[in-house]
Structures are given as C-alpha cells and as structure tokens.
C-alpha cells in the first residue's frame, strides 16, 4: 500500500465553546475554519483584530475517522508523518494518546501501528492553548528569561518553539493561530524504511564534479537483500543492500559528472537543476540538485574583515530583502502566492532572501522556487529579539528541531547560510534583567548558540554557521549595530534614531542584512480594510493597522524635513512611499558604489503578512510599492549614481556582471522649465565586478543647493538603458513647476502600455491602477519629449482591458501633492 493522506475535511470543536462544531480543512488553521463558517469576522478588516482574540485563548479539537484493512495492517510499521503542527498537541487514536507534540518546527515520524485496528479508527488531535503553555513553561525556568516585549502581545512566547510573530510584531497582527499546516500521512513500512537522503559535492580542477548521495535507511525486519535505486541525470544505479541487521544504516553512492552545468544566483547565470530520485522498497524520495560551489569568505583586510559570498569561485554582490511569513493566516500560504512574491523579488533584480528568525522555516515550495529562480537563501534559525532558555529540556527540543530542518533543507542549491538567530546577542543589552547581570545571560545565550552550531556542523558541514544577525564574527558578542568594519550589520539609525537619509553615507557595512524605512500602503490596499470614513492616518482603523508605536509620527515628521506637506489623504499615502523609496535608494546606491567595502544589501522587508503600514516593498495585496520599482533600478546589474562629498558631485558607475560592459550616454543639468543648461558625454567600459568614477563636477562649478535645476544621467548598454537623477536642493525648497502630464493607454503586439509626456520635468511619476497587475516601471523622473526626443512608454503587466486600465489609472507626481 502506498502513502495514505489524511488531508481534507476534519471536524472542529472546542471544549470552551460547545456550540461550535464545524468543518476544518487540513492543512489549515483554526482561524480560517472559523472565518469560513462565519463564526468570526475577518480579523484584517477595521478593528476586528481585538474581537477575535478569544480564538487563541481556547483549546481546539480536530476529529475524523479512518478505515483500514488487514492488508495495510500487515506492514511491519505504519508511520504517522506530520510537520508544521502548531504547537502543543496530543494525537489520540481510538482513545489512546500516541504522540505528544510541542514544537511547530519538528518533522514528526512515529510508528502507530499497534494503536490501529481493522475497520474504523477514530483520530483526535487536541491543540492546547499556547498562551497558557507559555506561561507554565516560564514559571518552571530557573531564572527569568525576557521575552520580546514591545513586539509580542502574548507574554513568554520565547518558551515555545512556535512562530514568534504569531503573537504580534511591530508590523504584525496578533493572531495566536494554531492548526496543522502541512499534509498528514500514514506510511506503511515493509522490512525497510527510507529515512532521508543527503548529498555533497566535490569539485576538481578540470571542472568536473563528484556528487555523493548518502541514503539513510532502517531495517525493521530481516529479509532477503533489498534493491536501492538511485537515478541522477538520466543514469540509474541499482545497489543491493543487505537487510539482515535490524537498525539504522546508510549507503553512499558516488556519481561523477564530467561536464556539469552549474547553478548560479539570479543575474550571474542560469539555474540548472538535476533530478535525483532514490527508491527503496515501496518508498521514494525526490530532489532537484544544483551543482555549484559556495562559500562565505571572511578574510582580514585593510578595513577589518570581509563578508563575501562566493558561488562557483565568483564573488557575489548579494542584493535583496528580508522575508517574513507569507500570511498571518497559515491557510493562505498558497503555492501561487509564494511564486508571485519570489518572482517579484527576482523582477526587482534581487538575488538573496533572508528568512528572518521570528517567522518560520518555510514550506518546501519556498526553497524549491528559490532554487528555480536563483535566489540565495540566508536562513535564520527561529529565534528573534528576545532571550531564550538554555535548560536541558529546551536544548534537547531545539537540537531535534534543527536536525530535522537541516536535513530537510541542506541540499537546496539556494541555501547560502545557517544563521543562529535575529538580534538575540543584541537583546542581552535590552532588558533590565540581562543588563543587570550580563555575564549570566551571555553564558545562557552561548549554551543555546553552541547547541545550534554543533547540530548544523554535524548535519551540514558544507554550509557556514553564522552565530547571529547582526554579528561581528566568531564568538564576538560586541555591538554589531555600529561596527561597519566586519561581519553583518543592522543599520536602523535613520528609522529608530531619527537621523536624516544622509546618515547612510556615514557607514560602509561589510554586509548590511537589515535596514529600512516605513511607508503607508497605497489607496487600493487601504480600501481593502478601511471604510472611506477612516481614510485618515489617525483614525482608529488606520492606527490599528500601524503596529509601530512611533511609526506614523516618524513618517509625518520626515515629511517636514524633505517635502512640503501633502494636501490630501491620497497624497499622504503616495508621498510616504516616495520617502521610503528615497531612504532605501540613498543607502543602497552608496553602498553599491563602495563594493570593495560592502558585498551585501538586504533591506527590511520584502512582504507583509496582512494589510498594514510597514517597511515592506510589496503590499499584502501583492501591489508593488514605489520602493520595489526603485529596487529594480538600484539593484540592477549596472548602476549609475550621483554621490556628493565635500569637494564635488561624482557619477559612480557600478557593474556586478561577470563580463566587461560598455556604457555610453550623457549627463544633463536641466532646469525646472525643461531646458538643458549643460551636458557632458560619457563613454566608458567597466570591467567585470567593477566600480568607476566616470565624471566629476566641483562644487565651485555649480550651486550645491540649486533650487532651479537638477542633474540627470542616461546611459545605454547593449542590454538596457540606465537612468538616475540628483537633486541639489531639498524638495521642499525646489522651484518645481506644476507639470502638465499627458498620458494615454495604448496597445501593440506585446500588450498594453501607457505613454506619457510632460511640458516640464516631473518627479516620482507613479502609475497606480486600482485593479490587479503592475507596470514594468514607475516612480521615475519624467522628462519632456523635447529633451528625450520621444514619449515615455510604460508597459502594464496584468489582465485588464484597455478601457479598464484607462478608467482605473491614477498618475501621481511630486508637484501635485501641494
């Protein structure tokens, strides 16, 4: 018999709410079942978050029946396989408890054959309240272990091995969800059990590769020899295994690939994947293998210590963002949504995603898509912004969790790094208890971190373990937030400390794995959760959807530094996104220009888990914020950026290509009336992975705070056109003209487009369609056709008709906000 799936409809009830008895889909979560049955309002709408807290403050019971025949029961074992069970649960079969779960991140596999019978079997899964379990565990600790106060709305979440942001974060709704988020299956085992497979790669000077496939299996009962089948790259290997000795065994098969096709990160080459299939008895496992070498290079240099990922011996400029869970409702973690978000990351020229430690080890589809799309994965282990216990029981549970996850994920070619946690070293200095007794809590941290490191090194010696993010290096518990000479850095001085955007020019991180600036969502997204009467940034609904206590104040205060105050709610939303894009653009372009210092830029954050004001570049609805359009440009393989220092304005050219790139074009100084005051030609060649100062203008040759003109560069390569602008004066001081933008929707064989022209330059011209889809460019400087010689064409990527796009399109620009 093959695997028996227990997915589908179960019956849901609660001992605290006896009137509830409804269907519940598994995989799925309790909140989603209650929502579908109309037992709760949608938690994302209005202020409904408060009204659904009772769900997480209840126990829940899932039940169903299962019919088995005698043939199935003739197996030596019947394994119950489940994962992503959230979190503390008892599994009962025919009234007997067969398995107790206490860790959302475990991969459970347990033989339940002795509890089953021919005919009808009753299965019950009891999901216990997480808040009470967390408090109970905290009471048993030998000393207080501070939890993520200010983020979690439910105390002591750090005692549970559960997604930490389920209890709320400074961008996250508090929905203490529970459920089972992956398939549940019963697997009959006859004589032998196929456990898991792992691979390693050995590269030779002639370019060939030896792939070693290690198969881990159990022998449950002595039998005649079994045949292990290994299939790779259209080659098949049949290996006769002795099945005389009961116990756990392994077999290694070496496969030589003379001319391997290599896997590359996005922007550096193709993502070739080889199929690998292993079969033993009635079990099979399948993986896609990417052949590539990968290392994290941390070498001492004149600056401090480098932090550079090298793939196939090529130094990579890591560009990307941080990833939080896809949705606060786990039932909404669909394959299509994973694909859309990750494809949108690649569309913005990203090549790395950091899976943040307050979320979850993602579903298989996430890593499979990263393999396919060329997105390197910085994988945090699931600890964030709190201190954690180091009791023997906790460490044993974590050891099993990490072993499960490393075995599951370690063969993905996209996997670049195992990182112990997010900001836990730093958290030692945040809380009164640990600040008063730092040594004690450093030892506590070290016990946990060394356990994580030991398991990773045992299970996956091919990948580097990085203790924490941020971290200055091995066993360095120093202030990584302010040391830009080594390790990775989190730079939050602009957002949290209220510094201006030019503060990004005061640091040159070796690798910046977090920095960010908030914006409000676009109007079409606001419309999904707020009635028109609440379209005000201080309305109850809008404030309910802003989880950072100072967030709205910071956004508004920063308006007053750079811009004239917006004249409407819609323009406040638009301007907040201009401001966010400017902040991240300022940092990213500067750090890329000094790539000898900085080899990694991951901004906070890519996505939202519900519709909210946040640091994301893509809204919960999938709509690209202006930041994401800017990221497509400032993360492009080739970049031209103006940087001002004390002496001059300099145009820096940057290339991340593995090959030589030729560039030609012009720099213009343009008045706000639309006249070209000066222009300079640029014609140069960039070597592979090079930066170059291509043009410079001393401050004595132009007005540093010119209110009447700006600089614009247009460069062409064989593949693309590169543009960028520099504005000497603050936008609020600039003498912008009220540009008249003319636009119309057209179509050709490639689809719909919007053509735009203007009489005077217009800044941050942003196209917003109230339906689905996006554009290939937006939030750009629009120059009159009298300068460019042509109108600007922006392509629409979606399913709207020409009329629908024309009727639903709004074109924003900066001068129109006041």
């Amino acid at each position: 018999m093959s695997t028996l799936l227990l997915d589908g409809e179960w019956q849901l009830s609660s001992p605290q709410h006896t009137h509830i008895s409804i269907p519940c889909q598994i995989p799925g979560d309790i909140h989603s079942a209650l929502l579908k049955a109309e037992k709760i309002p949608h938690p994302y709408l209005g202020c409904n978050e408060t009204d659904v807290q009772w769900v997480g403050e209840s126990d829940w019971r899932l039940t169903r029946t299962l019919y088995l025949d005698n043939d199935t029961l003739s197996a030596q074992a019947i394994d119950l396989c489940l994962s992503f069970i959230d979190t503390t649960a008892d599994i009962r079969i025919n009234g007997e408890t067969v398995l107790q779960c206490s860790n959302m991140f475990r991969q459970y596999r347990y033989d339940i054959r002795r509890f089953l019978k021919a005919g009808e079997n009753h299965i019950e899964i009891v999901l216990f309240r997480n808040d009470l379990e967390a408090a109970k565990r905290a009471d048993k600790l030998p000393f207080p272990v501070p939890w993520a106060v200010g983020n979690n709305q439910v105390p002591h979440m750090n005692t549970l091995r559960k997604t930490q942001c389920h209890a709320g974060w400074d961008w996250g709704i508090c929905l203490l969800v529970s459920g089972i988020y992956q398939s549940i299956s019963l697997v009959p085992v006859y004589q032998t059990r196929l456990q898991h497979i792992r691979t390693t790669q050995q590269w030779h000077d002639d370019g060939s590769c030896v792939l070693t496939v290690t198969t881990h299996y159990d022998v449950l009962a002595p039998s005649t020899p079994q045949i292990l089948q290994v299939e790779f790259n259209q080659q098949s290997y049949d290996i006769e295994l002795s099945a005389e000795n009961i116990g756990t065994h392994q077999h290694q098969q070496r496969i030589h690939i003379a001319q391997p096709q290599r896997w590359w990160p996005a922007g550096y080459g193709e993502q070739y994947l080889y199929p690998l299939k292993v079969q033993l008895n009635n079990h099979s496992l399948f993986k896609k293998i990417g052949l590539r070498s990968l290392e994290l290079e941390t070498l001492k240099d004149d600056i401090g210590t480098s932090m550079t990922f090298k793939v196939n011996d090529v130094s990579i400029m890591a560009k990307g963002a941080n990833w939080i869970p896809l949705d606060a409702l786990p039932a909404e973690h669909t394959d299509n949504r994973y694909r859309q978000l990750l494809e949108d990351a690649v569309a913005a020229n990203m090549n790395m995603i950091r899976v943040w430690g307050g979320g979850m080890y993602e579903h298989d589809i996430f890593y499979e898509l990263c393999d396919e799309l060329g997105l390197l994965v910085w994988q945090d282990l699931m600890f964030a912004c709190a201190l954690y216990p180091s009791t023997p029981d906790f460490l044993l549970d974590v050891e099993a969790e990490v072993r499960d996850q490393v075995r599951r994920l370690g063969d993905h070619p996209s996997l670049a790094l195992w990182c112990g946690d997010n900001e836990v070293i730093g958290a030692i200095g945040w809380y009164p208890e640990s600040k008063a007794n730092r040594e004690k809590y450093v030892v506590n941290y070290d016990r946990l971190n060394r356990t994580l490191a030991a398991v990773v090194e045992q299970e996956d010696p091919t990948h580097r373990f990085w203790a924490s993010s941020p971290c200055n290096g091995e066993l360095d518990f120093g202030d990584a937030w302010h040391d830009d000479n080594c390790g990775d850095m989190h730079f939050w001085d602009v957002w949290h400390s209220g510094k201006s955007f030019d503060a990004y020019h005061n640091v040159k991180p070796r690798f910046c794995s977090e920095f960010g600036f908030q914006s409000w969502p676009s109007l079409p997204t606001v419309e999904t959760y707020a009635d028109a009467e609440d379209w005000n940034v201080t309305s109850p609904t809008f404030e309910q959807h802003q989880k950072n206590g100072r967030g709205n104040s910071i956004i508004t205060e920063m308006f007053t530094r750079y811009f004239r105050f917006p004249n409407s709610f819609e323009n406040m939303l638009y301007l907040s996104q201009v401001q966010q894009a400017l902040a991240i653009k300022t940092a990213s372009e500067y750090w890329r220009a000094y790539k000898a210092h900085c080899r990694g830029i991951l901004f906070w954050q890519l996505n939202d888990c519900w519709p909210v004001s946040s640091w994301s570049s893509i809204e919960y609805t999938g709509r690209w914020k202006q930041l994401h359009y800017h990221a497509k440009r400032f993360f492009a393989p080739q970049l031209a950026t103006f940087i001002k220092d004390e002496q001059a304005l300099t145009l820096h050219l940057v290339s991340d290509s593995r090959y030589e790139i030729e560039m030609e074009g012009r720099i213009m100084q343009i008045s706000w009336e639309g006249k070209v005051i000066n222009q300079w030609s640029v014609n140069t060649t960039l070597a592979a992975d090079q930066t170059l100062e291509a043009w410079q203008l001393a401050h004595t040759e132009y007005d540093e705070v010119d209110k009447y003109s700006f600089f614009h560069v247009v460069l062409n390569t064989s593949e693309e056109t590169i543009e960028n602008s520099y504005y000497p004066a603050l936008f609020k001081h600039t003498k912008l003209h009220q540009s008249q933008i003319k636009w119309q929707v057209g179509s050709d064989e490639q689809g719909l487009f919007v053509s735009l022209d203007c009489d005077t330059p217009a800044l941050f011209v942003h196209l917003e369609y109230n339906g689905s889809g996006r554009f290939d460019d937006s939030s750009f400087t629009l120059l009159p056709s009298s300068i460019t010689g042509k109108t600007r064409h922006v392509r629409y990527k979606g399913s709207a008709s020409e009329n629908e796009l024309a009727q639903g399109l709004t074109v924003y620009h900066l001068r129109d906000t006041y």
Side-chain angles (χ1 to χ4, degrees):
M1 176 190 171
S2 59
T3 298
L4 176 64
L5 285 178
L6 301 182
D7 298 352
E9 186 174 292
W10 291 57
Q11 198 67 16
L12 176 66
S13 60
S14 170
Q16 288 89 15
H17 308 282
T18 55
H19 63 288
I20 295 178
S21 181
I22 60 172
C24 178
Q25 290 294 315
I26 298 298
D29 64 86
I30 306 306
H31 282 79
S32 293
L34 293 168
L35 182 60
K36 185 176 181 180
E38 300 182 346
K39 299 297 183 182
I40 59 172
H42 202 297
Y44 298 173
L45 303 182
C47 296
N48 290 342
E49 175 186 357
T50 304
D51 298 332
V52 300
Q53 292 305 307
W54 63 269
V55 180
E57 296 166 356
S58 306
D59 298 324
W60 295 95
R61 180 187 297 116
L62 293 160
T63 58
R64 64 161 290 170
T65 55
L66 171 69
Y67 292 87
L68 295 175
D69 56 29
N70 285 318
D71 286 345
T72 302
L73 294 173
S74 66
Q76 272 72 35
I78 297 179
D79 290 349
L80 172 67
C81 299
L82 76 162
S83 58
F84 289 90
I85 180 165
D86 187 7
T87 290
T88 307
D90 281 357
I91 299 177
R92 301 165 185 165
I93 294 180
N94 299 322
E96 292 190 65
T97 299
V98 301
L99 181 63
Q100 292 182 309
C101 304
S102 61
N103 186 326
M104 176 182 165
F105 308 128
R106 288 294 313 279
Q107 304 278 297
Y108 292 103
R109 182 168 190 158
Y110 189 70
D111 178 14
I112 61 169
R113 178 182 175 278
R114 66 186 182 278
F115 301 101
L116 298 169
K117 61 185 180 181
E120 183 176 291
N121 293 268
H122 182 73
I123 305 177
E124 178 183 17
I125 301 176
V126 180
L127 298 163
F128 298 105
R129 288 180 59 171
N130 288 304
D131 58 340
L132 296 184
E133 177 64 21
K136 183 171 69 175
R137 293 187 184 189
D139 286 343
K140 294 180 180 178
L141 293 176
F143 53 86
V145 181
W147 46 282
V149 180
N151 285 312
N152 288 165
Q153 302 304 302
V154 179
H156 309 301
M157 283 296 293
N158 56 339
T159 66
L160 293 182
R161 297 310 298 141
K162 171 181 173 62
T163 295
Q164 299 291 278
C165 64
H166 282 172
W169 215 261
D170 60 358
W171 38 257
I173 187 172
C174 179
L175 286 184
L176 210 55
V177 291
S178 60
I180 304 167
Y181 313 141
Q182 274 280 23
S183 291
I184 309 176
S185 62
L186 294 183
V187 181
V189 182
Y190 300 92
Q191 281 85 43
T192 54
R193 175 190 290 117
L194 185 56
Q195 285 276 23
H196 65 281
I197 53 175
R198 290 303 312 278
T199 66
T200 57
Q201 300 171 27
Q202 183 179 3
W203 290 86
H204 298 289
D205 292 341
D206 62 0
S208 66
C209 178
V210 174
L211 180 74
T212 301
V213 180
T214 303
T215 302
H216 299 260
Y217 65 97
D218 297 334
V219 175
L220 275 65
S223 68
T224 58
Q226 301 287 312
I227 301 299
L228 174 70
Q229 294 180 315
V230 178
E231 298 177 18
F232 180 82
N233 193 28
Q234 300 180 336
Q235 298 181 51
S236 183
Y237 306 86
D238 290 350
I239 303 103
E240 186 175 284
L241 300 178
S242 172
E244 295 179 359
N245 298 321
I246 293 175
T248 299
H249 306 272
Q250 67 179 47
H251 176 272
Q252 290 190 336
Q253 180 67 39
R254 289 167 56 86
I255 302 170
H256 182 262
I257 305 101
Q259 295 179 311
Q261 299 191 60
R262 294 186 185 240
W263 183 95
W264 288 94
Y268 286 86
E270 299 300 317
Q271 293 79 48
Y272 193 86
L273 297 170
Y274 290 84
L276 170 65
K277 185 179 181 181
V278 175
Q279 287 184 288
L280 179 62
N281 210 330
N282 64 318
H283 300 161
S284 64
L285 293 172
F286 179 81
K287 292 184 176 184
K288 289 184 178 180
I289 302 298
L291 298 178
R292 55 99 181 103
S293 63
L294 184 147
E295 63 175 313
L296 175 61
E297 188 177 79
T298 50
L299 301 177
K300 290 190 180 299
D301 55 26
D302 293 340
I303 306 164
T305 306
S306 66
M307 188 169 184
T308 305
F309 287 94
K310 298 184 73 173
V311 178
N312 300 323
D313 297 320
V314 173
S315 296
I316 301 299
M317 182 65 205
K319 300 172 291 191
N322 285 258
W323 174 278
I324 65 170
L326 187 65
D327 203 294
L329 293 170
E332 299 300 319
H333 290 210
T334 65
D335 289 2
N336 285 340
R337 291 185 65 199
Y338 274 111
R339 177 172 287 279
Q340 186 64 62
L341 266 176
L342 292 172
E343 286 182 347
D344 283 349
V346 173
N349 290 306
M350 297 183 184
N351 59 28
M352 180 174 278
I353 294 291
R354 176 178 173 234
V355 180
W356 170 72
M360 55 188 262
Y361 307 95
E362 282 294 344
H363 291 284
D364 290 342
I365 184 65
F366 172 88
Y367 303 95
E368 291 164 3
L369 287 168
C370 288
D371 294 344
E372 173 190 325
L373 297 170
L375 285 166
L376 293 167
V377 176
W378 172 308
Q379 179 67 56
D380 280 4
L381 304 183
M382 291 301 121
F383 305 88
C385 299
L387 306 186
Y388 288 84
S390 63
T391 59
D393 287 348
F394 189 84
L395 294 182
L396 282 173
D397 195 25
V398 165
E399 179 181 340
E401 161 198 324
V402 175
R403 201 174 301 280
D404 286 349
Q405 295 298 333
V406 174
R407 289 177 177 179
R408 179 171 76 99
L409 304 176
D411 281 337
H412 284 280
S414 56
L415 185 74
L417 183 74
W418 296 106
C419 179
D421 61 66
N422 174 79
E423 298 184 354
V424 178
I425 289 177
I428 296 171
W430 297 351
Y431 300 106
E433 300 93 334
S434 52
K435 285 195 289 187
N437 197 343
R438 178 175 170 81
E439 291 81 3
K440 179 176 184 177
Y441 286 89
V442 166
V443 171
N444 177 70
Y445 172 85
D446 190 54
R447 286 178 178 174
L448 173 60
N449 196 258
R450 283 178 183 263
T451 299
L452 305 179
V455 177
V456 169
E457 288 160 8
Q458 290 166 15
E459 294 291 336
D460 188 12
T462 64
H463 287 97
R464 183 79 169 269
F465 177 80
W466 192 251
S468 180
S469 183
C471 177
N472 290 332
E474 195 76 22
L475 292 178
D476 189 332
F477 296 168
D479 182 9
W481 270 274
H482 301 99
D483 186 349
D484 58 351
N485 294 320
C486 56
D488 72 310
M489 187 180 194
H490 292 187
F491 188 74
W492 283 103
D493 282 8
V494 173
W495 176 260
H496 288 303
S497 300
K499 294 185 178 179
S500 297
F501 296 163
D502 57 8
Y504 289 120
H505 288 190
N506 296 330
V507 293
K508 292 177 183 174
R510 307 316 300 266
F511 195 112
C512 194
S513 48
E514 265 195 37
F515 66 105
F517 201 90
Q518 265 202 10
S519 72
W520 294 314
S522 65
L523 184 61
T525 293
V526 171
E527 289 177 321
T528 66
Y529 67 82
D531 295 331
E533 64 188 31
D534 285 327
W535 290 1
N536 186 298
V537 297
T538 60
S539 72
T541 291
F542 210 80
E543 290 190 337
Q544 184 83 11
H545 289 74
Q546 167 60 276
K547 295 301 184 181
N548 184 270
R550 297 169 50 238
N552 290 346
S553 298
I554 293 173
I555 293 171
T556 306
E557 192 273 336
M558 196 64 82
F559 282 169
T560 66
R561 297 196 206 179
Y562 288 95
F563 304 100
R564 302 189 193 187
F565 208 78
N567 55 18
S568 68
F569 177 68
E570 293 89 338
N571 280 330
M572 289 188 76
L573 303 181
Y574 158 79
L575 191 60
S576 78
Q577 294 200 9
V578 170
Q579 184 169 262
Q580 177 194 32
L582 268 176
I584 308 309
K585 176 182 188 290
T586 300
S588 299
E589 292 189 354
Y590 182 72
W591 295 338
R592 282 195 68 190
Y594 293 96
K595 67 185 332 183
H597 290 251
C598 180
R599 297 301 299 200
I601 303 171
L602 306 178
F603 65 73
W604 185 271
Q605 68 210 60
L606 180 71
N607 57 309
D608 286 326
C609 64
W610 72 306
V612 66
S613 303
S614 84
W615 297 266
S616 71
S617 65
I618 301 177
E619 297 171 6
Y620 174 75
T621 55
R623 185 175 298 276
W624 284 25
K625 290 183 179 178
Q626 294 184 58
L627 169 56
H628 209 72
Y629 287 105
H630 281 263
K632 183 181 178 184
R633 297 193 291 268
F634 65 63
F635 279 160
Q638 283 77 48
L639 169 71
T641 181
F642 294 96
I643 295 176
K644 174 192 166 187
D645 60 21
E646 293 179 357
Q647 286 77 40
L649 179 66
T650 303
L651 181 71
H652 293 251
L653 303 183
V654 183
S655 177
D656 294 335
S657 176
R658 293 162 56 201
Y659 311 103
E660 188 178 85
I661 299 290
E662 294 183 357
M663 292 183 177
E664 61 84 22
R666 60 175 174 161
I667 301 163
M668 296 171 283
Q669 184 179 9
I670 305 171
S671 73
W672 294 118
E673 289 86 358
K675 306 297 182 182
V676 177
I677 302 170
N678 288 301
Q679 62 179 321
W680 302 264
S681 295
V682 177
N683 193 328
T684 191
T685 300
L686 267 72
D689 196 33
Q690 186 189 13
T691 63
L692 178 70
E693 294 182 6
W695 170 89
Q696 196 169 75
L697 191 64
H699 295 327
T700 55
E701 299 182 55
Y702 77 102
D703 185 350
E704 290 185 58
V705 290
D706 188 351
K707 304 175 184 178
Y708 302 97
S709 70
F710 67 103
F711 293 88
H712 190 81
V713 61
V714 181
L715 296 176
N716 295 300
T717 72
S718 60
E719 297 181 354
E720 62 180 339
T721 297
I722 302 163
E723 296 191 54
N724 212 340
S725 299
Y726 172 75
Y727 312 104
L730 293 174
F731 296 105
K732 65 182 180 180
H733 296 158
T734 300
K735 303 296 186 180
L736 293 178
H737 284 233
Q738 181 55 275
S739 180
Q740 301 301 312
I741 297 178
K742 297 179 181 179
W743 62 267
Q744 64 179 16
V745 176
S747 64
D748 57 21
E749 65 279 0
Q750 297 179 51
L752 297 184
F753 62 85
V754 182
S755 64
L756 302 103
D757 201 356
C758 55
D759 57 348
T760 59
L763 305 190
F764 304 104
V765 174
H766 181 54
L767 284 66
E768 185 173 277
Y769 173 52
N770 61 13
S772 60
R774 63 172 179 86
F775 299 92
D776 69 347
D777 200 7
S778 198
S779 193
F780 47 77
T781 301
L782 181 64
L783 300 179
S785 57
S786 59
I787 295 177
T788 63
K790 58 185 177 181
T791 58
R792 181 83 174 242
H793 276 206
V794 177
R795 295 217 163 262
Y796 166 72
K797 298 178 178 295
S799 57
S801 69
E802 192 169 326
N803 184 61
E804 287 171 335
L805 182 58
Q807 292 296 318
L809 183 65
T810 301
V811 178
Y812 292 90
H813 65 100
L814 184 61
R815 180 58 184 86
D816 213 28
T817 62
Y818 60 91

